[in-house]
Amino acid sequence: MDGYPKGNAVGAPVDPMIPRPFRITKVKSEVPGVFSWHLVPVDGGGFAYRPGQFNMLYLFGVGEVAISISGDCRDGEKIVHTIRIAGSVTKAMSSLSVGDVIGVRGPFGRPWPVEPIYGSDLVFVTGTIGLAPLRPLIYEVLHQRDKFGRVIICYGSRGTDDILYEDELHLWRGRFDTNVHVTVHSAPSGYRGRIGSVAAAVRAAHIEGGDTQAFVCRSEVMTKPAVDALHERGVSSERIWVTLERNMKCGIGLCGHCQFGPTFMCRDGPVYRFDEIEHLFEIREL
Amino acid sequence: MVQIEGLGPLVATHPFFADMDGSALETIVGCCANEVFRTGSYLYRQGEAADKFYLIRDGLVTLEAYVPGRPPIAIETVEAGEIIGWSWLVKPYKWSNDARASGTVRAVSVDGACLRRKMEADRVLGYEIYKRFLPVMARRLAQNRERIVELATEPAGFD
């Protein structure tokens, strides 16, 4: 697709292996076990990135993890990362406070397309913390709202108390130009919203396949059911974009930890057009 | 002058009966009734006789699991254009969960015992009804399997 950046074409650091110090200026608890950081470069310089890219965050003396950038890429003041406590590094990171300094390498990876999809209807499909890598694209779409058709967001969480960015979902739902479908796996009796899988929310949304571009951020195993639901609504694989995550380490396609068939997720992804990798999903050994 | 329409058009235009043969529809309509459920009221309750199924015309229905000693857990919602209830098709014809209106619900109920008799008498009709129910059941089974995988593999946020 013309205009779609390849690899680390956008905002690639000068030396991608050297961490740059960033200071934490805000820590926000999002839902249980998930927090967000606002970061600013200690050297006072800028930081350019595109929606969908990720950084390697380095807690000195502990370790480094790949985390998607989840803020607004037009925000020149700070970058935002939303982090789930999943292992020793992220657990140690959760104890940091405002004023602490971490190392940042990045931005890495292929971003979501923006300009190439002007004029299309858009549907976002995600669940739990998967909204974090999609939020920069949603911000960008809303910045340029008149350049797109219908905007539909399908989001799922486990329960009613772990809905990520709930305030923003309410704001987006309140807009006349955005449809938001939130679904939960289970809820207390009396809950008035939709209960079921994310795929069921996709099937229930009024998606008109023709000129719809879909953006999916689920775990690798749940990506296929989400894609299947989009196919049922008439969205073809060439119009479905997915972001995947494996064990990113170097960030530049050298170490091989995140290899997926002939691709490296850190360099050739994390965003893929689904038809490029559809055949790989059928190979269990990968 | 107020014109009162029969249930025929409501049943014929519901997606579940799309493209159904006209005479079969007439047979089915004879077992139908129009119903409205206010917010929080039950369409049916676990353990009671499953003598109906519902074509949801408007509103959201929540399926709930009864948990002794605790408030019920809402486990699934069914919305306009869908159907709810297949326990009337399977012995012992008892509901396996509760269904409550989450807001005002307008539905056409279909008398299960009445339709079962007609399906026994007219096997072509019976086959047609099964052909429509089975994909719904298969889809919901698949969705629930997806949810199990989803719950087992996607982070809860708690560690």
Side-chain angles (χ1 to χ4, degrees), chain A residues 32-33 84-86 128 158 162 185-187 189 191-195 197-199 203 218-219 221-222, chain B residues 39 60 64 72-77 79 100 102 143 146-147 149-151 153-159:
Chain A
R84 182 179 74 90
I85 303 170
T128 62
R158 290 182 164 233
D162 64 347
H185 275 295
S186 63
S189 178
Y191 177 66
R192 296 285 194 86
R194 178 182 284 117
I195 299 165
S197 68
V198 177
R203 291 183 186 105
R218 307 297 319 274
S219 63
V221 68
M222 292 312 296
Chain B
T39 306
L60 195 69
E64 294 182 348
I73 301 171
I75 49 174
E76 193 168 356
T77 47
E79 47 203 274
R100 294 175 79 179
S102 183
Q143 282 175 5
E146 278 173 24
R147 287 173 70 186
V149 175
E150 201 168 3
L151 285 166
T153 58
E154 295 215 326
F158 311 83
D159 255 13

mmCIF file of all heavy atoms in Angstrom, chain A residues 32-33 84-86 128 158 162 185-187 189 191-195 197-199 203 218-219 221-222, chain B residues 39 60 64 72-77 79 100 102 143 146-147 149-151 153-159:
data_model
loop_
_atom_site.group_PDB
_atom_site.id
_atom_site.type_symbol
_atom_site.label_atom_id
_atom_site.label_comp_id
_atom_site.label_asym_id
_atom_site.label_seq_id
_atom_site.Cartn_x
_atom_site.Cartn_y
_atom_site.Cartn_z
ATOM 1 N N PRO A 32 -6.515 -2.528 38.214
ATOM 2 C CA PRO A 32 -5.630 -3.342 39.058
ATOM 3 C C PRO A 32 -4.541 -4.027 38.226
ATOM 4 O O PRO A 32 -4.833 -4.703 37.240
ATOM 5 C CB PRO A 32 -6.586 -4.362 39.681
ATOM 6 C CG PRO A 32 -7.883 -3.642 39.741
ATOM 7 C CD PRO A 32 -7.937 -2.803 38.491
ATOM 8 N N GLY A 33 -3.278 -3.808 38.634
ATOM 9 C CA GLY A 33 -2.157 -4.448 37.951
ATOM 10 C C GLY A 33 -1.689 -3.732 36.698
ATOM 11 O O GLY A 33 -0.802 -4.236 36.007
ATOM 12 N N ARG A 84 1.456 -3.358 32.040
ATOM 13 C CA ARG A 84 0.824 -4.374 32.889
ATOM 14 C C ARG A 84 1.900 -5.095 33.683
ATOM 15 O O ARG A 84 2.946 -5.460 33.127
ATOM 16 C CB ARG A 84 0.078 -5.393 32.030
ATOM 17 C CG ARG A 84 -0.657 -6.452 32.843
ATOM 18 C CD ARG A 84 -1.386 -7.419 31.939
ATOM 19 N NE ARG A 84 -0.486 -8.340 31.274
ATOM 20 C CZ ARG A 84 -0.113 -9.529 31.745
ATOM 21 N NH1 ARG A 84 -0.557 -9.932 32.929
ATOM 22 N NH2 ARG A 84 0.700 -10.316 31.064
ATOM 23 N N ILE A 85 1.661 -5.295 34.942
ATOM 24 C CA ILE A 85 2.625 -6.020 35.774
ATOM 25 C C ILE A 85 2.532 -7.504 35.412
ATOM 26 O O ILE A 85 1.531 -8.164 35.712
ATOM 27 C CB ILE A 85 2.339 -5.816 37.275
ATOM 28 C CG1 ILE A 85 2.365 -4.324 37.611
ATOM 29 C CG2 ILE A 85 3.357 -6.573 38.115
ATOM 30 C CD1 ILE A 85 1.867 -4.000 39.004
ATOM 31 N N ALA A 86 3.579 -7.992 34.720
ATOM 32 C CA ALA A 86 3.516 -9.360 34.207
ATOM 33 C C ALA A 86 4.736 -10.184 34.588
ATOM 34 O O ALA A 86 4.711 -11.405 34.429
ATOM 35 C CB ALA A 86 3.374 -9.342 32.689
ATOM 36 N N THR A 128 -8.967 -5.908 26.896
ATOM 37 C CA THR A 128 -8.113 -5.665 28.069
ATOM 38 C C THR A 128 -7.041 -4.603 27.764
ATOM 39 O O THR A 128 -7.352 -3.524 27.302
ATOM 40 C CB THR A 128 -7.495 -6.984 28.604
ATOM 41 O OG1 THR A 128 -6.663 -7.565 27.617
ATOM 42 C CG2 THR A 128 -8.576 -7.983 28.964
ATOM 43 N N ARG A 158 -12.580 -8.313 31.069
ATOM 44 C CA ARG A 158 -13.073 -9.464 31.833
ATOM 45 C C ARG A 158 -14.312 -9.108 32.634
ATOM 46 O O ARG A 158 -15.260 -9.860 32.673
ATOM 47 C CB ARG A 158 -11.993 -9.945 32.792
ATOM 48 C CG ARG A 158 -10.847 -10.593 32.095
ATOM 49 C CD ARG A 158 -9.824 -11.107 33.070
ATOM 50 N NE ARG A 158 -8.966 -12.035 32.367
ATOM 51 C CZ ARG A 158 -8.708 -13.277 32.766
ATOM 52 N NH1 ARG A 158 -9.195 -13.723 33.884
ATOM 53 N NH2 ARG A 158 -7.938 -14.065 32.052
ATOM 54 N N ASP A 162 -12.239 -3.728 35.285
ATOM 55 C CA ASP A 162 -10.916 -3.697 34.649
ATOM 56 C C ASP A 162 -11.016 -3.182 33.212
ATOM 57 O O ASP A 162 -10.326 -3.649 32.313
ATOM 58 C CB ASP A 162 -10.236 -5.064 34.713
ATOM 59 C CG ASP A 162 -10.973 -6.144 33.943
ATOM 60 O OD1 ASP A 162 -12.128 -5.903 33.561
ATOM 61 O OD2 ASP A 162 -10.392 -7.211 33.714
ATOM 62 N N HIS A 185 -16.902 -10.081 30.073
ATOM 63 C CA HIS A 185 -17.143 -11.521 30.145
ATOM 64 C C HIS A 185 -18.227 -11.876 31.154
ATOM 65 O O HIS A 185 -18.995 -12.803 30.957
ATOM 66 C CB HIS A 185 -15.857 -12.257 30.514
ATOM 67 C CG HIS A 185 -15.007 -12.553 29.324
ATOM 68 N ND1 HIS A 185 -15.416 -13.390 28.337
ATOM 69 C CD2 HIS A 185 -13.798 -12.093 28.952
ATOM 70 C CE1 HIS A 185 -14.487 -13.466 27.408
ATOM 71 N NE2 HIS A 185 -13.504 -12.669 27.757
ATOM 72 N N SER A 186 -18.242 -11.162 32.248
ATOM 73 C CA SER A 186 -19.289 -11.390 33.241
ATOM 74 C C SER A 186 -19.448 -10.108 34.039
ATOM 75 O O SER A 186 -18.565 -9.242 34.031
ATOM 76 C CB SER A 186 -18.935 -12.556 34.162
ATOM 77 O OG SER A 186 -17.768 -12.251 34.891
ATOM 78 N N ALA A 187 -20.591 -10.002 34.696
ATOM 79 C CA ALA A 187 -20.887 -8.755 35.400
ATOM 80 C C ALA A 187 -21.830 -9.046 36.548
ATOM 81 O O ALA A 187 -22.505 -10.087 36.560
ATOM 82 C CB ALA A 187 -21.527 -7.762 34.430
ATOM 83 N N SER A 189 -25.228 -8.858 38.600
ATOM 84 C CA SER A 189 -26.624 -8.780 38.160
ATOM 85 C C SER A 189 -27.058 -7.316 38.117
ATOM 86 O O SER A 189 -26.709 -6.537 38.993
ATOM 87 C CB SER A 189 -27.492 -9.557 39.145
ATOM 88 O OG SER A 189 -28.823 -9.474 38.782
ATOM 89 N N TYR A 191 -26.250 -5.271 35.613
ATOM 90 C CA TYR A 191 -25.402 -4.558 34.657
ATOM 91 C C TYR A 191 -26.173 -4.387 33.355
ATOM 92 O O TYR A 191 -26.801 -5.321 32.864
ATOM 93 C CB TYR A 191 -24.118 -5.358 34.423
ATOM 94 C CG TYR A 191 -23.173 -4.759 33.398
ATOM 95 C CD1 TYR A 191 -22.538 -3.553 33.635
ATOM 96 C CD2 TYR A 191 -22.918 -5.427 32.205
ATOM 97 C CE1 TYR A 191 -21.669 -3.019 32.702
ATOM 98 C CE2 TYR A 191 -22.044 -4.904 31.263
ATOM 99 C CZ TYR A 191 -21.425 -3.693 31.519
ATOM 100 O OH TYR A 191 -20.558 -3.165 30.588
ATOM 101 N N ARG A 192 -26.129 -3.181 32.801
ATOM 102 C CA ARG A 192 -26.974 -2.880 31.647
ATOM 103 C C ARG A 192 -26.279 -3.036 30.299
ATOM 104 O O ARG A 192 -26.896 -2.845 29.259
ATOM 105 C CB ARG A 192 -27.491 -1.435 31.745
ATOM 106 C CG ARG A 192 -28.401 -1.172 32.934
ATOM 107 C CD ARG A 192 -29.773 -1.784 32.681
ATOM 108 N NE ARG A 192 -30.756 -1.297 33.617
ATOM 109 C CZ ARG A 192 -31.446 -0.176 33.459
ATOM 110 N NH1 ARG A 192 -31.261 0.585 32.416
ATOM 111 N NH2 ARG A 192 -32.339 0.179 34.359
ATOM 112 N N GLY A 193 -24.972 -3.324 30.329
ATOM 113 C CA GLY A 193 -24.245 -3.372 29.065
ATOM 114 C C GLY A 193 -24.234 -4.752 28.435
ATOM 115 O O GLY A 193 -24.874 -5.689 28.909
ATOM 116 N N ARG A 194 -23.433 -4.872 27.358
ATOM 117 C CA ARG A 194 -23.337 -6.138 26.628
ATOM 118 C C ARG A 194 -22.374 -7.081 27.339
ATOM 119 O O ARG A 194 -21.325 -6.655 27.822
ATOM 120 C CB ARG A 194 -22.856 -5.864 25.202
ATOM 121 C CG ARG A 194 -22.685 -7.127 24.363
ATOM 122 C CD ARG A 194 -22.173 -6.846 22.975
ATOM 123 N NE ARG A 194 -23.192 -6.320 22.097
ATOM 124 C CZ ARG A 194 -23.152 -5.103 21.546
ATOM 125 N NH1 ARG A 194 -22.157 -4.293 21.775
ATOM 126 N NH2 ARG A 194 -24.124 -4.699 20.759
ATOM 127 N N ILE A 195 -22.737 -8.358 27.376
ATOM 128 C CA ILE A 195 -21.895 -9.374 28.003
ATOM 129 C C ILE A 195 -21.620 -10.458 26.970
ATOM 130 O O ILE A 195 -22.554 -10.997 26.367
ATOM 131 C CB ILE A 195 -22.586 -9.978 29.241
ATOM 132 C CG1 ILE A 195 -22.850 -8.872 30.268
ATOM 133 C CG2 ILE A 195 -21.720 -11.071 29.860
ATOM 134 C CD1 ILE A 195 -23.823 -9.245 31.345
ATOM 135 N N SER A 197 -18.187 -12.237 24.244
ATOM 136 C CA SER A 197 -16.814 -12.126 23.743
ATOM 137 C C SER A 197 -16.665 -10.876 22.869
ATOM 138 O O SER A 197 -17.658 -10.304 22.409
ATOM 139 C CB SER A 197 -16.455 -13.364 22.921
ATOM 140 O OG SER A 197 -17.215 -13.386 21.740
ATOM 141 N N VAL A 198 -15.416 -10.484 22.635
ATOM 142 C CA VAL A 198 -15.143 -9.346 21.757
ATOM 143 C C VAL A 198 -15.642 -9.667 20.341
ATOM 144 O O VAL A 198 -16.216 -8.819 19.651
ATOM 145 C CB VAL A 198 -13.642 -9.014 21.736
ATOM 146 C CG1 VAL A 198 -13.350 -7.874 20.779
ATOM 147 C CG2 VAL A 198 -13.174 -8.658 23.133
ATOM 148 N N ALA A 199 -15.429 -10.931 19.939
ATOM 149 C CA ALA A 199 -15.871 -11.319 18.595
ATOM 150 C C ALA A 199 -17.385 -11.157 18.458
ATOM 151 O O ALA A 199 -17.883 -10.751 17.402
ATOM 152 C CB ALA A 199 -15.456 -12.758 18.308
ATOM 153 N N ARG A 203 -19.529 -8.970 15.774
ATOM 154 C CA ARG A 203 -20.637 -9.484 14.963
ATOM 155 C C ARG A 203 -21.888 -8.619 15.150
ATOM 156 O O ARG A 203 -22.709 -8.507 14.240
ATOM 157 C CB ARG A 203 -20.931 -10.938 15.334
ATOM 158 C CG ARG A 203 -19.813 -11.883 14.903
ATOM 159 C CD ARG A 203 -20.127 -13.343 15.205
ATOM 160 N NE ARG A 203 -18.977 -14.174 14.893
ATOM 161 C CZ ARG A 203 -18.168 -14.716 15.807
ATOM 162 N NH1 ARG A 203 -18.387 -14.526 17.095
ATOM 163 N NH2 ARG A 203 -17.131 -15.441 15.436
ATOM 164 N N ARG A 218 -5.202 -8.073 19.802
ATOM 165 C CA ARG A 218 -5.579 -9.126 20.750
ATOM 166 C C ARG A 218 -4.337 -9.970 21.011
ATOM 167 O O ARG A 218 -3.324 -9.803 20.347
ATOM 168 C CB ARG A 218 -6.657 -10.051 20.152
ATOM 169 C CG ARG A 218 -7.907 -9.400 19.603
ATOM 170 C CD ARG A 218 -8.729 -8.650 20.626
ATOM 171 N NE ARG A 218 -8.868 -9.291 21.917
ATOM 172 C CZ ARG A 218 -9.801 -10.213 22.233
ATOM 173 N NH1 ARG A 218 -10.647 -10.611 21.329
ATOM 174 N NH2 ARG A 218 -9.878 -10.718 23.449
ATOM 175 N N SER A 219 -4.458 -10.914 21.946
ATOM 176 C CA SER A 219 -3.365 -11.868 22.098
ATOM 177 C C SER A 219 -3.282 -12.652 20.787
ATOM 178 O O SER A 219 -4.239 -12.687 20.000
ATOM 179 C CB SER A 219 -3.644 -12.806 23.266
ATOM 180 O OG SER A 219 -4.805 -13.573 23.004
ATOM 181 N N VAL A 221 -3.424 -15.758 20.080
ATOM 182 C CA VAL A 221 -4.422 -16.813 19.899
ATOM 183 C C VAL A 221 -5.812 -16.236 19.639
ATOM 184 O O VAL A 221 -6.635 -16.863 18.963
ATOM 185 C CB VAL A 221 -4.429 -17.777 21.114
ATOM 186 C CG1 VAL A 221 -4.936 -17.076 22.356
ATOM 187 C CG2 VAL A 221 -5.268 -19.009 20.828
ATOM 188 N N MET A 222 -6.094 -15.045 20.135
ATOM 189 C CA MET A 222 -7.422 -14.462 19.936
ATOM 190 C C MET A 222 -7.498 -13.575 18.705
ATOM 191 O O MET A 222 -8.575 -13.064 18.378
ATOM 192 C CB MET A 222 -7.838 -13.660 21.181
ATOM 193 C CG MET A 222 -8.087 -14.503 22.416
ATOM 194 S SD MET A 222 -9.140 -15.943 22.136
ATOM 195 C CE MET A 222 -10.682 -15.178 21.664
ATOM 196 N N THR B 39 -37.861 -3.478 32.660
ATOM 197 C CA THR B 39 -36.491 -3.621 33.180
ATOM 198 C C THR B 39 -36.442 -4.485 34.444
ATOM 199 O O THR B 39 -37.184 -4.248 35.390
ATOM 200 C CB THR B 39 -35.929 -2.230 33.515
ATOM 201 O OG1 THR B 39 -36.048 -1.400 32.378
ATOM 202 C CG2 THR B 39 -34.469 -2.321 33.954
ATOM 203 N N LEU B 60 -32.417 -5.525 25.280
ATOM 204 C CA LEU B 60 -31.296 -6.403 25.610
ATOM 205 C C LEU B 60 -31.732 -7.353 26.731
ATOM 206 O O LEU B 60 -32.284 -6.914 27.740
ATOM 207 C CB LEU B 60 -30.120 -5.540 26.081
ATOM 208 C CG LEU B 60 -28.738 -6.148 26.171
ATOM 209 C CD1 LEU B 60 -28.186 -6.449 24.787
ATOM 210 C CD2 LEU B 60 -27.790 -5.165 26.874
ATOM 211 N N GLU B 64 -28.372 -14.961 33.200
ATOM 212 C CA GLU B 64 -27.701 -14.947 34.498
ATOM 213 C C GLU B 64 -27.581 -16.354 35.054
ATOM 214 O O GLU B 64 -28.487 -17.178 34.880
ATOM 215 C CB GLU B 64 -28.495 -14.091 35.493
ATOM 216 C CG GLU B 64 -28.521 -12.618 35.125
ATOM 217 C CD GLU B 64 -29.275 -11.772 36.131
ATOM 218 O OE1 GLU B 64 -29.981 -12.341 37.003
ATOM 219 O OE2 GLU B 64 -29.161 -10.545 36.041
ATOM 220 N N PRO B 72 -26.603 -13.208 41.638
ATOM 221 C CA PRO B 72 -26.409 -13.892 40.355
ATOM 222 C C PRO B 72 -25.304 -13.230 39.530
ATOM 223 O O PRO B 72 -24.989 -12.060 39.731
ATOM 224 C CB PRO B 72 -27.757 -13.755 39.652
ATOM 225 C CG PRO B 72 -28.564 -12.805 40.452
ATOM 226 C CD PRO B 72 -27.924 -12.602 41.775
ATOM 227 N N ILE B 73 -24.704 -14.009 38.633
ATOM 228 C CA ILE B 73 -23.652 -13.481 37.749
ATOM 229 C C ILE B 73 -24.219 -13.382 36.341
ATOM 230 O O ILE B 73 -24.749 -14.375 35.817
ATOM 231 C CB ILE B 73 -22.426 -14.407 37.737
ATOM 232 C CG1 ILE B 73 -21.861 -14.567 39.148
ATOM 233 C CG2 ILE B 73 -21.354 -13.875 36.796
ATOM 234 C CD1 ILE B 73 -20.783 -15.649 39.239
ATOM 235 N N ALA B 74 -24.100 -12.209 35.756
ATOM 236 C CA ALA B 74 -24.541 -12.025 34.367
ATOM 237 C C ALA B 74 -23.471 -12.587 33.445
ATOM 238 O O ALA B 74 -22.304 -12.235 33.554
ATOM 239 C CB ALA B 74 -24.762 -10.548 34.091
ATOM 240 N N ILE B 75 -23.856 -13.493 32.544
ATOM 241 C CA ILE B 75 -22.851 -14.206 31.751
ATOM 242 C C ILE B 75 -22.954 -13.977 30.249
ATOM 243 O O ILE B 75 -22.022 -14.274 29.512
ATOM 244 C CB ILE B 75 -22.895 -15.731 32.028
ATOM 245 C CG1 ILE B 75 -24.329 -16.247 31.923
ATOM 246 C CG2 ILE B 75 -22.298 -16.056 33.378
ATOM 247 C CD1 ILE B 75 -24.435 -17.752 32.033
ATOM 248 N N GLU B 76 -24.068 -13.462 29.787
ATOM 249 C CA GLU B 76 -24.196 -13.256 28.344
ATOM 250 C C GLU B 76 -25.386 -12.347 28.082
ATOM 251 O O GLU B 76 -26.328 -12.326 28.868
ATOM 252 C CB GLU B 76 -24.410 -14.608 27.631
ATOM 253 C CG GLU B 76 -24.250 -14.531 26.126
ATOM 254 C CD GLU B 76 -24.187 -15.922 25.477
ATOM 255 O OE1 GLU B 76 -24.196 -16.935 26.205
ATOM 256 O OE2 GLU B 76 -24.126 -15.966 24.243
ATOM 257 N N THR B 77 -25.326 -11.611 26.998
ATOM 258 C CA THR B 77 -26.491 -10.821 26.602
ATOM 259 C C THR B 77 -26.942 -11.229 25.209
ATOM 260 O O THR B 77 -26.145 -11.648 24.376
ATOM 261 C CB THR B 77 -26.187 -9.308 26.631
ATOM 262 O OG1 THR B 77 -24.946 -9.069 25.966
ATOM 263 C CG2 THR B 77 -26.123 -8.776 28.037
ATOM 264 N N GLU B 79 -29.479 -9.760 22.030
ATOM 265 C CA GLU B 79 -30.078 -8.494 21.650
ATOM 266 C C GLU B 79 -31.055 -8.609 20.489
ATOM 267 O O GLU B 79 -31.303 -9.700 19.974
ATOM 268 C CB GLU B 79 -28.997 -7.453 21.361
ATOM 269 C CG GLU B 79 -27.870 -7.909 20.490
ATOM 270 C CD GLU B 79 -26.622 -7.047 20.713
ATOM 271 O OE1 GLU B 79 -26.526 -6.003 20.074
ATOM 272 O OE2 GLU B 79 -25.750 -7.441 21.518
ATOM 273 N N ARG B 100 -33.183 -12.168 32.101
ATOM 274 C CA ARG B 100 -33.859 -10.963 32.604
ATOM 275 C C ARG B 100 -33.762 -9.841 31.595
ATOM 276 O O ARG B 100 -32.778 -9.745 30.842
ATOM 277 C CB ARG B 100 -33.206 -10.475 33.905
ATOM 278 C CG ARG B 100 -33.360 -11.415 35.047
ATOM 279 C CD ARG B 100 -32.600 -10.919 36.247
ATOM 280 N NE ARG B 100 -33.325 -9.873 36.939
ATOM 281 C CZ ARG B 100 -32.881 -9.284 38.048
ATOM 282 N NH1 ARG B 100 -31.708 -9.620 38.538
ATOM 283 N NH2 ARG B 100 -33.593 -8.362 38.630
ATOM 284 N N SER B 102 -32.868 -6.351 30.450
ATOM 285 C CA SER B 102 -31.942 -5.287 30.841
ATOM 286 C C SER B 102 -32.415 -4.022 30.138
ATOM 287 O O SER B 102 -31.853 -3.601 29.147
ATOM 288 C CB SER B 102 -30.531 -5.680 30.403
ATOM 289 O OG SER B 102 -29.595 -4.742 30.806
ATOM 290 N N GLN B 143 -18.666 -19.413 20.464
ATOM 291 C CA GLN B 143 -18.347 -18.156 21.165
ATOM 292 C C GLN B 143 -17.923 -18.437 22.602
ATOM 293 O O GLN B 143 -17.001 -17.810 23.124
ATOM 294 C CB GLN B 143 -19.554 -17.228 21.153
ATOM 295 C CG GLN B 143 -19.730 -16.523 19.821
ATOM 296 C CD GLN B 143 -21.001 -15.687 19.773
ATOM 297 O OE1 GLN B 143 -21.717 -15.563 20.766
ATOM 298 N NE2 GLN B 143 -21.282 -15.126 18.630
ATOM 299 N N GLU B 146 -14.482 -19.717 22.606
ATOM 300 C CA GLU B 146 -13.569 -18.576 22.418
ATOM 301 C C GLU B 146 -13.352 -17.846 23.737
ATOM 302 O O GLU B 146 -12.233 -17.447 24.063
ATOM 303 C CB GLU B 146 -14.172 -17.577 21.424
ATOM 304 C CG GLU B 146 -13.967 -17.917 19.970
ATOM 305 C CD GLU B 146 -14.751 -16.969 19.081
ATOM 306 O OE1 GLU B 146 -15.058 -15.830 19.501
ATOM 307 O OE2 GLU B 146 -15.074 -17.389 17.967
ATOM 308 N N ARG B 147 -14.433 -17.688 24.465
ATOM 309 C CA ARG B 147 -14.325 -16.944 25.728
ATOM 310 C C ARG B 147 -13.454 -17.697 26.728
ATOM 311 O O ARG B 147 -12.715 -17.093 27.494
ATOM 312 C CB ARG B 147 -15.708 -16.681 26.314
ATOM 313 C CG ARG B 147 -16.466 -15.631 25.534
ATOM 314 C CD ARG B 147 -17.887 -15.516 26.015
ATOM 315 N NE ARG B 147 -17.978 -14.935 27.335
ATOM 316 C CZ ARG B 147 -19.125 -14.836 28.006
ATOM 317 N NH1 ARG B 147 -20.240 -15.269 27.482
ATOM 318 N NH2 ARG B 147 -19.141 -14.283 29.202
ATOM 319 N N VAL B 149 -10.925 -19.649 25.975
ATOM 320 C CA VAL B 149 -9.536 -19.442 25.539
ATOM 321 C C VAL B 149 -9.099 -18.018 25.882
ATOM 322 O O VAL B 149 -7.992 -17.773 26.373
ATOM 323 C CB VAL B 149 -9.401 -19.702 24.022
ATOM 324 C CG1 VAL B 149 -7.993 -19.378 23.544
ATOM 325 C CG2 VAL B 149 -9.736 -21.151 23.703
ATOM 326 N N GLU B 150 -9.997 -17.076 25.634
ATOM 327 C CA GLU B 150 -9.716 -15.661 25.906
ATOM 328 C C GLU B 150 -9.389 -15.464 27.388
ATOM 329 O O GLU B 150 -8.397 -14.833 27.740
ATOM 330 C CB GLU B 150 -10.974 -14.875 25.526
ATOM 331 C CG GLU B 150 -10.761 -13.422 25.245
ATOM 332 C CD GLU B 150 -12.008 -12.814 24.596
ATOM 333 O OE1 GLU B 150 -13.025 -13.519 24.429
ATOM 334 O OE2 GLU B 150 -11.956 -11.635 24.271
ATOM 335 N N LEU B 151 -10.211 -16.046 28.241
ATOM 336 C CA LEU B 151 -10.001 -15.886 29.682
ATOM 337 C C LEU B 151 -8.728 -16.571 30.141
ATOM 338 O O LEU B 151 -8.067 -16.119 31.072
ATOM 339 C CB LEU B 151 -11.202 -16.453 30.452
ATOM 340 C CG LEU B 151 -12.452 -15.586 30.404
ATOM 341 C CD1 LEU B 151 -13.667 -16.359 30.879
ATOM 342 C CD2 LEU B 151 -12.272 -14.326 31.247
ATOM 343 N N THR B 153 -5.991 -16.988 28.296
ATOM 344 C CA THR B 153 -4.757 -16.512 27.668
ATOM 345 C C THR B 153 -4.550 -15.007 27.735
ATOM 346 O O THR B 153 -3.426 -14.545 27.587
ATOM 347 C CB THR B 153 -4.718 -16.902 26.175
ATOM 348 O OG1 THR B 153 -5.872 -16.357 25.524
ATOM 349 C CG2 THR B 153 -4.666 -18.405 25.997
ATOM 350 N N GLU B 154 -5.600 -14.247 27.902
ATOM 351 C CA GLU B 154 -5.409 -12.796 27.914
ATOM 352 C C GLU B 154 -5.265 -12.316 29.342
ATOM 353 O O GLU B 154 -5.920 -12.830 30.246
ATOM 354 C CB GLU B 154 -6.561 -12.087 27.196
ATOM 355 C CG GLU B 154 -6.575 -12.450 25.724
ATOM 356 C CD GLU B 154 -7.001 -11.310 24.831
ATOM 357 O OE1 GLU B 154 -7.845 -10.511 25.251
ATOM 358 O OE2 GLU B 154 -6.492 -11.238 23.698
ATOM 359 N N PRO B 155 -4.388 -11.360 29.556
ATOM 360 C CA PRO B 155 -4.084 -10.950 30.926
ATOM 361 C C PRO B 155 -5.285 -10.370 31.649
ATOM 362 O O PRO B 155 -6.107 -9.681 31.074
ATOM 363 C CB PRO B 155 -3.012 -9.876 30.735
ATOM 364 C CG PRO B 155 -3.171 -9.404 29.339
ATOM 365 C CD PRO B 155 -3.664 -10.576 28.562
ATOM 366 N N ALA B 156 -5.347 -10.721 32.917
ATOM 367 C CA ALA B 156 -6.421 -10.170 33.735
ATOM 368 C C ALA B 156 -6.067 -8.788 34.236
ATOM 369 O O ALA B 156 -6.917 -8.011 34.631
ATOM 370 C CB ALA B 156 -6.671 -11.078 34.916
ATOM 371 N N GLY B 157 -4.779 -8.494 34.222
ATOM 372 C CA GLY B 157 -4.357 -7.233 34.809
ATOM 373 C C GLY B 157 -3.926 -7.443 36.257
ATOM 374 O O GLY B 157 -3.293 -6.604 36.851
ATOM 375 N N PHE B 158 -4.248 -8.574 36.837
ATOM 376 C CA PHE B 158 -3.868 -8.856 38.218
ATOM 377 C C PHE B 158 -2.725 -9.862 38.173
ATOM 378 O O PHE B 158 -2.846 -10.863 37.477
ATOM 379 C CB PHE B 158 -5.012 -9.500 38.986
ATOM 380 C CG PHE B 158 -6.325 -8.804 38.855
ATOM 381 C CD1 PHE B 158 -7.147 -9.044 37.776
ATOM 382 C CD2 PHE B 158 -6.745 -7.911 39.811
ATOM 383 C CE1 PHE B 158 -8.372 -8.409 37.652
ATOM 384 C CE2 PHE B 158 -7.969 -7.271 39.689
ATOM 385 C CZ PHE B 158 -8.783 -7.520 38.609
ATOM 386 N N ASP B 159 -1.691 -9.617 38.862
ATOM 387 C CA ASP B 159 -0.626 -10.624 38.910
ATOM 388 C C ASP B 159 -0.138 -10.790 40.333
ATOM 389 O O ASP B 159 -0.287 -9.922 41.136
ATOM 390 C CB ASP B 159 0.542 -10.222 38.018
ATOM 391 C CG ASP B 159 0.553 -11.046 36.749
ATOM 392 O OD1 ASP B 159 -0.451 -11.701 36.487
ATOM 393 O OD2 ASP B 159 1.565 -11.025 36.052
#
